[in-house]
Amino acid sequence: MKKLIAGNWKMNGSLAANATLLEALLEGLRGSTPGADVALCVPAPYLAQVQSLLQGSPIAWGAQDVSPHAQGAYTGEVSAAMLQDFACRYSLVGHSERRQQHGETDAVVAAKAQRALAVGITPIVCVGETLAERQAGLTEAVVKRQLAAVIHTVAHCTSEIVLAYEPVWAIGTGQTATPQQAQQVHAVLRAQLAAATKHPARVRILYGGSMNANNAASLLAQADVDGGLLGGASLKASDLLQIVALAG
Ligand code: PGA
């Protein structure tokens, strides 16, 4: 299975900065087919720009969130059908910043994953424990609970998701999980997927949390690490290109 390197721009960018970044990425990939799949999850207002610049390129694009509702009186929300209008291949769901800052529950995250799948968009379902949960020995219980809600809701579509393990304490902190810590949790998630679907190996489990060009190789070398979800590193063309090359 090809690894997936997905970038999460978060709330960063501008029309001008995006154009510069995307041109540098396309230039870096020109003339070769990357050995890994590459995707960028961008702020919704830039989907049209990203679609027009990346169409026909090896880089896929997607959103950072999707509404759990189909349509209607939900001010500020963006529906899965709207993302489909911009040919999104992916949408993040349940990023820890959404869970923490917007009170997204496991049930809401599962509903979002289901909405994405219903229109053929692959949800990148994020799970991960806080530092307090890790210190209390709750890491496995937390990620299993978060994944179980999604499995329960999307049922036979479980093998269609991408999963991202992102320890909250490693996001944007410069503190990465060790390759062993990542692998340990990924193996737990793989076992949970195996109990829920006949095709557990189809589900890519990404690691996210301060992944960069220096630590990516050892993380990506782990048996159950099928790619990376990059925040900060996805805003720098040279870092992202280096990580894509390492994953290929
Ligand atoms: P980071 O973010 O790579 O900047 O730690 C990862 C993420 O939040 O997806």
Side-chain angles (χ1 to χ4, degrees):
M1 182 172 42
K2 259 189 171 182
K3 291 198 188 325
L4 170 63
I5 301 298
N8 170 15
W9 284 0
K10 308 194 180 188
M11 198 172 74
N12 294 293
S14 65
L15 287 173
N18 303 345
T20 305
L21 176 58
L22 294 174
E23 275 160 26
L25 289 173
L26 292 173
E27 182 57 34
L29 294 175
R30 205 180 306 281
S32 64
T33 310
D37 289 331
V38 189
L40 296 173
C41 295
V42 308
Y46 296 131
L47 284 170
Q49 179 195 24
V50 169
Q51 179 185 18
S52 87
L53 291 177
L54 295 183
Q55 227 156 22
S57 84
I59 307 177
W61 58 92
Q64 297 172 7
D65 187 29
V66 61
S67 175
H69 307 288
Q71 63 171 75
Y74 301 102
T75 301
E77 293 279 275
V78 176
S79 73
M82 293 171 186
L83 300 184
Q84 197 186 22
D85 270 346
F86 294 94
C88 288
R89 186 168 317 161
Y90 299 99
S91 178
L92 300 179
V93 300
H95 189 281
S96 63
E97 287 153 17
R98 302 288 321 168
R99 292 181 191 260
Q100 291 193 325
Q101 298 164 8
H102 301 273
E104 287 189 10
T105 62
D106 293 340
V108 166
V109 173
K112 290 181 171 199
Q114 192 174 33
R115 285 288 174 205
L117 286 165
V119 300
I121 292 173
T122 301
I124 301 178
V125 176
C126 304
V127 301
E129 81 288 1
T130 63
L131 184 58
E133 288 165 339
R134 174 163 283 265
Q135 286 169 341
L138 294 173
T139 298
E140 290 187 15
V142 168
V143 298
K144 283 167 90 170
R145 188 202 74 223
Q146 292 172 333
L147 177 57
V150 173
I151 290 173
H152 176 76
T153 299
V154 310
H156 64 277
C157 291
T158 296
S159 62
E160 309 302 318
I161 70 170
V162 168
L163 195 54
Y165 169 54
E166 296 206 304
V168 178
W169 47 270
I171 294 179
T173 58
Q175 196 187 338
T176 322
T178 64
Q180 294 69 30
Q181 283 173 323
Q183 169 57 28
Q184 200 175 354
V185 177
H186 282 226
V188 166
L189 295 170
R190 183 83 67 201
Q192 192 178 358
L193 290 168
T197 160
K198 285 196 198 92
H199 310 289
R202 262 195 221 164
V203 180
R204 287 185 284 195
I205 310 178
L206 315 183
Y207 169 80
S210 298
M211 189 186 264
N212 59 41
N214 294 323
N215 60 30
S218 53
L219 287 159
L220 294 169
Q222 300 302 307
D224 290 299
V225 176
D226 307 312
L229 180 54
L230 315 172
S234 73
L235 295 168
K236 294 179 215 129
S238 59
D239 289 29
L240 185 56
L241 288 166
Q242 274 186 66
I243 296 169
V244 169
L246 286 169

